[in-house]
């Protein structure tokens, strides 16, 4: 059965801290790994990773994929209160399927 | 910017009523999806569509039905709402961009449904 597991489930840090969120996956016909940020309503796209070892960066966020060990990490440096959200990891499988993890709930305290 | 719309945003309705949740996208994406998400839980795929006149059930069993008569429109219908249908419903779309890669999914703002 396809599955995506994220850890930790929740995290509370102070502004300025660096956090690492983990995502492991076991899916058939894996195509890509996606990260989303979900605040109040719909998830918003952060990164899509298709190749191992190539880091993607966007400001204070970065992510990398390891297709051999079947995991990805999302790093957030110098966290801000606006980073508080649920971070979702999803594995794209086959021609249509996206399998989502339960998410990591991040709370950044001022 | 992604243009995918859902209406209504909130709906409170009594048991036994028929409801239709609307989803439209203006990006010309071929694939569309409906997910159900309870608070603090993962997204569960309930329906998807490859394109016009193509719909399939997802992994989570659902009593809802969908239709795809036009590329941009993917409504979800519950014939007889029950309290167990109370949840958030998220619509999404994606497109094939070449090779083995599909684009990321773009999500609508969601419909929060409460059935009394």
């Amino acid at each position: 059965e396809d599955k995506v597991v994220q850890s930790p489930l929740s995290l509370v840090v102070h502004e300025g801290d660096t956090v690492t969120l983990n995502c492991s996956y076991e899916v058939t016909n894996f195509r890509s790994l996606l990260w989303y940020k979900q605040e109040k309503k719909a998830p918003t796209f952060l990164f899509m990773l298709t190749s191992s070892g190539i880091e993607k960066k966007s400001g204070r966020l970065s992510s990398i994929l390891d297709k051999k060990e079947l995991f990805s990490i999302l790093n957030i440096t110098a966290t801000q209160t606006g980073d508080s959200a649920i971070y979702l990891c999803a594995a794209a499988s086959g021609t249509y399927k996206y399998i989502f993890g339960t998410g990591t709930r991040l709370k950044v305290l001022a | 910017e992604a243009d995918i719309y859902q209406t209504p945003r909130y709906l409170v309705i009594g048991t036994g009523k028929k409801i239709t949740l609307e989803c439209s996208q203006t990006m010309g994406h071929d694939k569309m999806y409906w997910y159900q998400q309870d608070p603090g839980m993962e997204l569960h795929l309930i329906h998807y569509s490859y394109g016009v006149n193509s719909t399939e059930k997802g992994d989570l069993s659902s009593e809802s039905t969908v239709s795809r008569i036009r590329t941009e429109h993917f409504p979800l219908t519950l014939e007889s709402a029950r309290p167990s249908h109370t949840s958030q419903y998220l619509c999404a779309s994606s497109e094939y961009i070449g090779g083995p890669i599909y684009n990321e999914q773009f999500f609508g703002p969601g419909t929060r449904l409460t059935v009394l």
Side-chain angles (χ1 to χ4, degrees):
Chain A
E1 182 184 335
D2 294 336
K3 64 179 178 181
V4 172
V5 178
Q6 292 186 246
S7 64
L9 291 181
S10 66
L11 195 54
V12 180
V13 300
H14 289 92
E15 272 192 319
D17 288 350
T18 293
V19 297
T20 298
L21 310 183
N22 303 295
C23 174
S24 65
Y25 63 91
E26 289 180 40
V27 303
T28 53
N29 202 6
F30 173 83
R31 294 194 180 278
S32 57
L33 194 289
L34 301 99
W35 285 96
Y36 291 85
K37 179 181 182 182
Q38 186 174 24
E39 293 177 88
K40 290 198 167 117
K41 297 292 177 201
T44 54
F45 173 76
L46 294 174
F47 297 111
M48 181 168 70
L49 304 149
T50 55
S51 302
S52 269
I54 298 173
E55 186 183 51
K56 291 215 173 179
K57 283 180 73 76
S58 176
R60 296 175 293 102
L61 277 66
S62 63
S63 183
I64 198 161
L65 174 67
D66 185 329
K67 290 169 76 172
K68 184 179 175 187
E69 300 296 330
L70 307 182
F71 78 90
S72 174
I73 60 172
L74 175 69
N75 279 321
I76 309 175
T77 58
T79 51
Q80 301 170 356
T81 55
D83 294 328
S84 296
I86 298 172
Y87 289 84
L88 295 170
C89 168
S93 166
T95 57
Y96 73 88
K97 207 172 187 178
Y98 295 78
I99 301 104
F100 283 83
T102 53
T104 292
R105 185 180 294 272
L106 173 66
K107 187 168 179 64
V108 182
L109 303 174
Chain B
E1 176 149 337
D3 294 318
I4 180 164
Y5 308 99
Q6 289 185 244
T7 57
R9 297 288 301 276
Y10 301 91
L11 180 62
V12 180
I13 201 163
T15 296
K17 300 291 185 185
K18 178 179 178 179
I19 59 170
T20 296
L21 308 185
E22 301 287 349
C23 176
S24 294
Q25 51 97 5
T26 58
M27 298 171 283
H29 287 173
D30 52 353
K31 292 194 172 35
M32 295 188 75
Y33 309 77
W34 276 103
Y35 291 91
Q36 187 174 340
Q37 185 182 34
D38 293 324
M41 303 297 287
E42 64 264 42
L43 280 77
H44 288 289
L45 180 67
I46 50 175
H47 294 284
Y48 66 97
S49 168
Y50 283 116
V52 171
N53 294 325
S54 154
T55 62
E56 300 285 345
K57 286 190 178 292
D59 300 321
L60 183 67
S61 174
S62 173
E63 293 160 344
S64 57
T65 58
V66 292
S67 63
R68 189 92 181 273
I69 298 171
R70 302 196 315 268
T71 297
E72 62 271 22
H73 194 214
F74 191 41
L76 180 144
T77 297
L78 276 165
E79 290 293 332
S80 180
R82 293 208 299 270
S84 60
H85 296 138
T86 295
S87 189
Q88 173 161 258
Y89 293 84
L90 288 164
C91 180
S93 70
S94 69
E95 65 175 346
Y96 179 61
I97 59 174
I101 308 299
Y102 273 82
N103 205 353
E104 74 270 18
Q105 285 186 313
F106 294 94
F107 284 85
T111 293
R112 185 163 294 282
L113 172 66
T114 301
V115 183
L116 304 175

